[in-house]
Amino acid sequence: MSSTSFRVMKFGGSSVGSPRRLRQVLELIGLHAKAGPLAVVVSAMGDTTDWLLEAAELATRGELEEALTVVARVAHLAKTNATALHPARGTPLAARVDRLLAPLQQLLQGISLTRECSPASRDKVLAFGEWVSSTLLAELLEASGTPAAFRDARQLLVTDDTFGNARVDVARTREQLQRQSAGWGASVPVIPGFIAATVDGRTTTLGRNGSDYTAALVAQGLGASEVTVWTDVLGLHTADPDLVSDAYPVPHLTHGEGLELAAVGVRMLHPRTMIPLIESGISLRIRNTMHPDHPGTLIDAIGSRDGQRPTCIATREDLALLGIEVRKLSDQFQLGERALAALRASRVTVWMTAQSANGQSLAVVVPRPDVERARAALETELSQELARREVEPLGVRQPVTLLTLVAEAMGQGVNVAGRFFSALGAVGVGVRASAQGASSRSISCVVDAADTAIAVRTTHAAFNLAHQQVSLFLLGKGTVGGQLLAQLRAQQDLLRERHGIALRVVGLADSRHTLFEPAGLSLEGLEERLARVDRGEPGTRTLVPLLDELRRLPVPILVDCTAAGDVAPLYTEAFRRGVHVVAANKLPLALPWAEREALVAEARRNHVAYHYETTVASSLPVIDTLANLVRTGDTVRLITASLSGSVGYICNELMAGVPLSVAVRAARDRGFTESDPREDLSGADVARKALILARELGLPLSLSDVALEPFVPASAQADEPTEAFLRGLRALDGEYAEKVAHCHPSGTTLRYLARIDPSKLGTGTPVIRVGLHAAEVGHPAADLRGSESFVSFTTTRHSDFPLTVRGAGAGGAVTASGVLADILRVSQTLRGR
């Protein structure tokens, strides 16, 4: 194209809907008119088209006064915008608006008399919106120093008489534009969008996105180099910003990508707009009227050369999925062809079809308001086959959403479809049907309407973000929860920059207070902010409604750092909503066997993660190690473990000559024990951990099956305040000093151990034993230091030298780091890169 070729600018209704925006439009046109030939296409102001439709409907019902009131509303908007820009010409401009709208009032009067508004009459009514805005814009440009003239689109665009959605005669339209433009001179032609005329001069409209289509046709007819659509957004975004807060404008797309997006219903594009541009090689740029310095989105024949260019995620909502399944297929059945022909004859729009490879079944996606018409059309077409029961009764699923990925690069890489479906499956979104075009520029699937937000956000994050967003709802801000928040504060930036994971705490709750903010809570002073929240109802049932909000966020994870005993129902509700659970809470895993199995099965059924590594040995990878042994076919013969870092610390202190009462108090002060040390000293905590390990082997055991010897006799654990209990331990100092004295001559070490022997199952001998032992020299437990824990696995493959996991086994910071590791494990699994 030469440097003197036309450029076409189209301004939408929002761009001319207020004085401030209209002033910006005048400045933009004035600036660009100086750079060479320019044509302008303009839509009706603001909501004028909707108002005109309302006026036509009122007149059709005979409510003329109400219809004229609506016309007055249209006039007021036009006068306000025009006179605000040029107060000195306010009276002439207002009079001009009245003259323009006078024929509309007469037209509505005629409609009200006949109580009938034909498609042709409706097109006449709607045309007034663009007619007024373009006429005023031309006069305002002249008044501001930019030569301009109104050019009636009805003398330029030639169509058939399909009123409401007229078909353009492209050849005649090009001829008209070329002939008339020869006499335009240097003034900027201001052309109303959306409207056209038949060969005999009857007014028609071009339907949805009609003004954009007008701009494309004008550009084609004038041989323009580029069309710029000025609107109220910064460009075509990677996803709907209302659904995805991280959506961002796409700088560059190909014509093919634009056409794919138009085909799946992206609001700013339409196939009719794209086709003239593609045929003539004309570029389309989408820009923001109020941010003219932003480059917006360029759509041309070349597209982006960036190998990491973004992928657009388009959604079409309020649809229905109709399924047809054939019981007996013959060569003559032609299911797809017959179904589509029937729907086309019934004027039902089909947004997607998906047919099985053998033609046995067909899925058709249609607008939900048309579902009954579609069903009737298909049942009529297949009536004989339905009567002979050769076809299953039609299935209808509604409402559903059509989710589509569009990117030119999709056909140039592998595993795009795999990443797409894997991302959806990982968050529990069911795919009801799918399709991919031969161009490989796009892939579409149908999801339930309720899953729209989570599907879009998850897919957008998987394909467009340099980081994986993760949404955390944290239960508990005590020792472990508090440390986890501290670690998140310290690690957030590092995790984002080095590992591509953006952890965001969206909720925090303790036993009486809850904070929840989908956009994310500031971590600074979060605990104090929670304490200031009005006290709520106790228990976890009140948290269930928040799970509905959590599930709609990217990678939702419920993180349980409490020791609450009533959380299993909350976990179940989370799983059912596609929310992952990371827990340091042992109690749900120690429920009766059937309840525990039901909980784990619920997570598996909903394809979500349930990670609880820290329930056994703080941050040590014990459960994962055991799972790997079992998965690889090894047989576990014996597990020996010191599973309480707190009791391990107390044992070390005892062996060093520290009295029991002093050692227990020190362990509590260091944060090694529960707030009430009796939970540790009773052995119940170790028994639960041992039970969890045994159940990982598939052993259907319960706590009552554990042969438990408390570390401190049950008789010493009276129901009294914690401080009184700690003072009462002094009475046992001598007894435990004597236990230590017995160890010294033999060189053994006092340890509190769990032993799991699967071979004892069904023999009447306990499979799990927990109690005090004197560990001999060389035993893995003998040289444990401080609060260290260990777990030793004797297996078929590790028989001579048991596989041992050893390390710090207590402390809020250590446990919190294990919880964080489980969170990252979920995140990295879903990231899929």
Side-chain angles (χ1 to χ4, degrees), residues 122-143:
R122 182 176 288 104
D123 276 3
K124 283 184 182 179
V125 171
L126 296 180
F128 280 91
E130 274 72 16
W131 192 18
V132 169
S133 65
S134 54
T135 302
L136 287 181
L137 181 60
E139 295 194 14
L140 291 170
L141 283 168
E142 280 282 338

Side-chain angles (χ1 to χ4, degrees), residues 9 48 128 152 160 162 210 252 259 263 398 404 468 482 484 520 528 561 587 649 652 745 755 827:
M9 288 185 171
T48 295
F128 280 91
D152 194 341
D160 66 6
T162 307
H252 208 167
L259 187 59
Q398 60 178 322
T404 304
Q468 170 70 70
L484 177 60
E528 293 78 9
C561 291
L587 297 181
Y649 172 84
N652 280 328
R755 179 185 172 91
S827 311

Side-chain angles (χ1 to χ4, degrees), residues 626 629 634-641 693-694 697 699 753-760 766-769 779-780 790-799 801-804:
L626 178 56
L629 289 172
D634 206 350
T635 300
V636 177
R637 296 176 176 175
L638 180 67
I639 300 175
T640 306
L693 284 180
L697 292 174
L699 302 178
L753 302 179
R755 179 185 172 91
I756 304 169
D757 185 349
S759 68
K760 303 297 185 185
V767 173
I768 306 174
R769 289 186 176 275
H779 189 282
F790 92 97
V791 180
S792 176
F793 300 102
T794 302
T795 73
T796 301
R797 296 172 187 161
H798 299 273
S799 56
F801 303 98
L803 176 60
T804 300

Side-chain angles (χ1 to χ4, degrees), residues 298-482:
L298 174 64
I299 304 176
D300 61 15
I302 300 171
S304 174
R305 291 186 172 89
D306 181 5
Q308 299 299 315
R309 54 187 161 184
T311 301
C312 291
I313 292 92
T315 51
R316 187 80 188 177
E317 299 185 58
D318 200 31
L319 303 175
L321 177 68
L322 283 78
I324 309 171
E325 189 168 349
V326 180
R327 291 174 176 168
K328 180 181 178 182
L329 192 66
S330 67
D331 294 338
Q332 292 76 34
F333 201 91
Q334 299 175 323
L335 174 62
E337 181 181 337
R338 291 175 60 191
L340 293 178
L343 292 171
R344 186 165 51 249
S346 296
R347 296 185 179 276
V348 174
T349 300
V350 176
W351 284 103
M352 189 191 87
T353 60
Q355 190 165 1
S356 62
N358 61 2
Q360 194 79 19
S361 63
L362 177 71
V364 181
V365 180
V366 302
R368 192 152 68 111
D370 296 341
V371 69
E372 291 307 320
R373 187 151 43 99
R375 188 208 297 264
L378 292 172
E379 288 179 344
T380 299
E381 174 63 30
L382 301 172
S383 59
Q384 293 183 18
E385 288 83 0
L386 286 165
R388 293 193 298 263
R389 305 191 67 181
E390 294 175 354
V391 174
E392 296 282 355
L394 269 65
V396 177
R397 191 178 193 94
Q398 60 178 322
V400 297
T401 295
L402 182 64
L403 175 69
T404 304
L405 285 182
V406 176
E408 194 75 38
M410 282 179 58
Q412 303 167 15
V414 297
N415 200 34
V416 174
R419 284 170 56 199
F420 180 44
F421 293 119
S422 176
L424 294 174
V427 295
V429 173
V431 174
R432 306 305 175 186
S434 63
Q436 183 167 5
S439 69
S440 296
R441 286 193 195 98
S442 69
I443 183 168
S444 300
C445 74
V446 178
V447 300
D448 290 338
D451 290 331
T452 300
I454 190 172
V456 174
R457 290 166 186 160
T458 300
T459 308
H460 185 268
F463 282 88
N464 284 307
L465 298 182
H467 55 269
Q468 170 70 70
Q469 282 193 347
V470 181
S471 308
L472 306 179
F473 187 179
L474 176 60
L475 306 182
K477 61 177 179 58
T479 302
V480 177

Side-chain angles (χ1 to χ4, degrees), residues 513-802:
H513 310 85
T514 303
L515 276 173
F516 193 89
E517 176 52 60
L521 295 163
S522 171
L523 296 183
E524 299 303 321
L526 184 54
E527 296 92 332
E528 293 78 9
R529 182 181 167 192
L530 179 68
R532 294 195 297 270
V533 175
D534 291 338
R535 296 172 70 84
E537 294 295 325
T540 57
R541 285 179 299 174
T542 57
L543 301 179
V544 171
L546 294 178
L547 295 177
D548 291 316
E549 295 189 54
L550 180 64
R551 71 180 296 270
R552 298 187 175 277
L553 302 179
V555 190
I557 305 178
L558 182 69
V559 184
D560 183 9
C561 291
T562 72
D566 61 347
V567 293
L570 184 66
Y571 288 10
T572 299
E573 295 296 334
F575 296 149
R576 289 172 179 169
R577 288 164 172 78
V579 175
H580 308 280
V581 173
V582 168
N585 190 342
K586 295 176 282 292
L587 297 181
L589 297 168
L591 289 169
W593 171 255
E595 294 179 37
R596 182 264 189 194
E597 284 297 280
L599 188 65
V600 174
E602 193 70 43
R604 197 160 40 242
R605 184 180 304 112
N606 289 281
H607 309 288
V608 291
Y610 177 23
H611 291 323
Y612 43 85
E613 186 66 74
T614 55
T615 58
V616 171
S618 196
S619 65
L620 299 183
V622 172
I623 291 176
D624 195 44
T625 299
L626 178 56
N628 286 332
L629 289 172
V630 174
R631 275 195 292 261
T632 57
D634 206 350
T635 300
V636 177
R637 296 176 176 175
L638 180 67
I639 300 175
T640 306
S642 173
L643 293 175
S644 174
S646 55
V647 176
Y649 172 84
I650 293 168
C651 286
N652 280 328
E653 292 293 283
L654 290 174
M655 294 304 297
V658 177
L660 174 67
S661 59
V662 176
V664 171
R665 190 177 290 275
R668 190 188 71 154
D669 292 344
R670 286 172 175 258
F672 292 157
T673 71
E674 300 293 336
S675 55
D676 186 343
R678 280 171 285 197
E679 183 69 20
D680 303 88
L681 300 179
S682 68
D685 184 61
V686 174
R688 288 193 193 96
K689 293 175 179 178
L691 179 64
I692 290 170
L693 284 180
R695 286 176 165 182
E696 290 296 304
L697 292 174
L699 302 178
L701 302 174
S702 298
L703 275 175
S704 59
D705 297 315
V706 179
L708 173 61
E709 174 195 347
F711 182 76
V712 170
S715 58
Q717 300 183 46
D719 185 12
E720 57 185 349
T722 302
E723 191 59 38
F725 163 71
L726 290 174
R727 289 195 300 270
L729 286 179
R730 296 171 188 166
L732 298 176
D733 286 346
E735 179 182 337
Y736 279 78
E738 187 175 337
K739 292 179 186 288
V740 171
H742 283 305
C743 291
H744 287 315
S746 59
T748 57
T749 303
L750 195 64
R751 291 293 180 223
Y752 194 63
L753 302 179
R755 179 185 172 91
I756 304 169
D757 185 349
S759 68
K760 303 297 185 185
L761 186 66
T763 66
T765 303
V767 173
I768 306 174
R769 289 186 176 275
V770 175
L772 272 170
H773 292 268
E776 298 178 352
V777 176
H779 189 282
D783 61 345
L784 293 177
R785 296 164 298 176
S787 62
E788 274 191 313
S789 292
F790 92 97
V791 180
S792 176
F793 300 102
T794 302
T795 73
T796 301
R797 296 172 187 161
H798 299 273
S799 56
D800 295 334
F801 303 98

Side-chain angles (χ1 to χ4, degrees), residues 24-320:
Q24 183 68 34
V25 168
L26 295 176
E27 292 176 1
L28 285 170
I29 295 173
L31 177 66
H32 286 274
K34 296 175 182 177
L38 177 69
V40 171
V41 174
V42 64
S43 297
M45 292 180 175
D47 296 324
T48 295
T49 300
D50 291 337
W51 294 344
L52 291 172
L53 280 170
E54 181 185 355
E57 291 170 4
L58 289 168
T60 304
R61 298 200 299 262
E63 300 173 17
L64 179 61
E65 290 301 319
E66 290 80 358
L68 295 179
T69 299
V70 174
V71 174
R73 194 190 311 159
V74 172
H76 177 73
L77 175 64
K79 292 174 183 178
T80 299
N81 288 341
T83 57
L85 267 65
H86 284 282
R89 299 190 59 185
T91 301
L93 287 172
R96 181 76 166 129
V97 171
D98 288 336
R99 287 197 299 274
L100 290 171
L101 292 177
L104 172 61
Q105 294 174 331
Q106 296 171 2
L107 177 59
L108 291 172
Q109 186 174 10
I111 292 172
S112 71
L113 290 172
T114 61
R115 303 289 177 94
E116 191 269 331
C117 183
S118 67
S121 296
R122 182 176 288 104
D123 276 3
K124 283 184 182 179
V125 171
L126 296 180
F128 280 91
E130 274 72 16
W131 192 18
V132 169
S133 65
S134 54
T135 302
L136 287 181
L137 181 60
E139 295 194 14
L140 291 170
L141 283 168
E142 280 282 338
S144 62
T146 300
F150 167 76
R151 305 295 177 184
D152 194 341
R154 292 172 294 186
Q155 298 176 12
L156 301 174
L157 275 64
V158 183
T159 72
D160 66 6
D161 60 358
T162 307
F163 298 100
N165 193 19
R167 293 184 179 182
V168 175
D169 186 327
V170 175
R172 287 189 175 183
T173 295
R174 182 185 291 114
E175 180 184 334
Q176 287 280 80
L177 281 162
Q178 291 175 352
R179 184 176 65 252
Q180 298 213 23
S181 64
W184 287 350
S187 64
V188 175
V190 181
I191 304 167
F194 180 59
I195 61 176
T198 60
V199 174
D200 57 359
R202 290 177 293 165
T203 299
T204 58
T205 60
L206 302 181
R208 180 171 167 263
N209 286 78
S211 292
D212 289 356
Y213 188 28
T214 299
L217 291 166
V218 169
Q220 186 180 47
L222 297 178
S225 59
E226 182 174 288
V227 173
T228 301
V229 174
W230 293 91
T231 182
D232 55 359
V233 295
L234 293 176
L236 196 66
H237 280 61
T238 50
D240 183 347
D242 290 336
L243 293 175
V244 182
S245 60
D246 284 317
Y248 57 93
V250 180
H252 208 167
L253 292 168
T254 65
H255 278 142
E257 289 172 310
L259 187 59
E260 293 278 2
L261 288 167
V264 294
V266 169
R267 182 175 60 87
M268 284 184 289
L269 298 174
H270 192 280
R272 291 191 309 176
T273 302
M274 293 303 305
I275 289 171
L277 302 180
I278 293 171
E279 289 175 343
S280 304
I282 301 170
S283 300
L284 171 65
R285 193 181 290 275
I286 300 170
R287 301 180 70 178
N288 190 315
T289 309
M290 300 310 294
H291 297 277
D293 295 332
H294 192 282
T297 298
L298 174 64
I299 304 176
D300 61 15
I302 300 171
S304 174
R305 291 186 172 89
D306 181 5
Q308 299 299 315
R309 54 187 161 184
T311 301
C312 291
I313 292 92
T315 51
R316 187 80 188 177
E317 299 185 58
D318 200 31
L319 303 175

